[in-house]
Amino acid sequence: MTTPEDRTGPFPSDRSPVVAGLLLAAGGGRRLGGRPKALLAHRGRPLVEHAVGVLRAAGCEVVHVVLGASADAVRERAELPGCVLVDNPEWEAGMGSSLRAGLASLAADPRGVDAALVSLVDQPGIGTEAVARVRAAYGSRDSLAAASYDGRRGHPVLFGAGHWAGVAETAVGDRGARDYLAAHRDVITPVDCSDVAEPYDIDTEADLSRLE
């Protein structure tokens, strides 16, 4: 099985870098009565379609989507052409397991991915402009950047491939990459997105009013 560290070496310099979108969409919506977040309705379609569309509009031609809760239903109901769909059978263990699964999938992608632009399916207030800003922070396979909202770090987060092994090693439970980012705070490039996005989550019944 390919692991994140297997694909972090140099690639030919005559090709354009590949910054792939990595959408974490495995959550089961426990506080939403067990409704998977990927299938929540937004603008008449499943929320996962909207999130993928944002990544593509921001310039990510390669998109991997990590599925967990009701993965079969997501495949059946959502139109996600061209996406690599990654099953995470351990999704109930938290976001960390989805991040590890997604990075392993990107490491195995034959197109040679140089960086992962990680976004969450339940943040529809973060649109194309914010995602494009963070994507533009890519400089090398050692890049590390994150959106910033009024001085607080948020999503999306860009991990150059040189960071994947370290992220996978520390991504546990629902903390995702939080511990890795805290340990590398001095090298993170903050990208202010306060003027173009709202980083709210769709977590509770009350939050559903934010969906269109």
Side-chain angles (χ1 to χ4, degrees):
M1 176 179 176
T2 304
T3 59
E5 59 266 33
D6 293 332
R7 282 297 195 110
T8 56
F11 281 87
S13 59
D14 59 349
R15 71 174 182 89
S16 297
V18 177
V19 178
L22 177 55
L23 179 64
L24 305 186
R30 178 175 53 84
R31 287 184 287 173
L32 291 167
R35 282 175 286 175
K37 292 185 177 182
L39 290 175
L40 294 176
H42 182 55
R43 300 177 182 175
R45 297 298 302 166
L47 187 55
V48 66
E49 286 186 17
H50 169 79
V52 166
V54 168
L55 287 168
R56 291 207 184 282
C60 294
E61 296 182 8
V62 177
V63 177
H64 288 223
V65 182
V66 181
L67 303 177
S70 301
D72 290 342
V74 176
R75 281 185 163 85
E76 180 180 339
R77 293 168 52 185
E79 297 180 6
L80 304 170
C83 292
V84 176
L85 303 183
V86 183
D87 282 314
N88 175 20
E90 300 177 356
W91 64 269
E92 290 181 285
M95 187 190 303
S97 64
S98 290
L99 184 55
R100 293 195 307 272
L103 291 176
S105 180
L106 289 178
D109 194 302
R111 290 165 286 193
V113 178
D114 298 284
L117 187 60
V118 181
S119 64
L120 308 180
V121 74
D122 66 343
Q123 293 189 322
I126 300 176
T128 299
E129 188 167 352
V131 177
R133 283 186 188 181
V134 179
R135 183 181 182 276
Y138 175 83
S140 75
R141 292 166 69 85
D142 290 322
S143 293
L144 187 60
S148 174
Y149 302 94
D150 298 322
R152 299 188 62 180
R153 189 177 66 239
H155 285 86
V157 180
L158 183 141
F159 297 102
H163 294 280
W164 294 356
V167 172
E169 184 177 347
T170 59
V172 296
D174 272 324
R175 296 187 63 79
R178 200 174 307 166
D179 292 342
Y180 187 86
L181 292 171
H184 294 78
R185 62 170 61 89
D186 293 341
V187 297
I188 299 173
T189 299
V191 181
D192 185 32
C193 297
S194 306
D195 59 325
V196 294
E198 295 181 80
Y200 57 81
D201 301 318
I202 305 298
D203 280 335
T204 68
E205 292 284 345
D207 296 329
L208 293 176
S209 63
R210 293 180 178 271
L211 296 175
E212 298 177 12

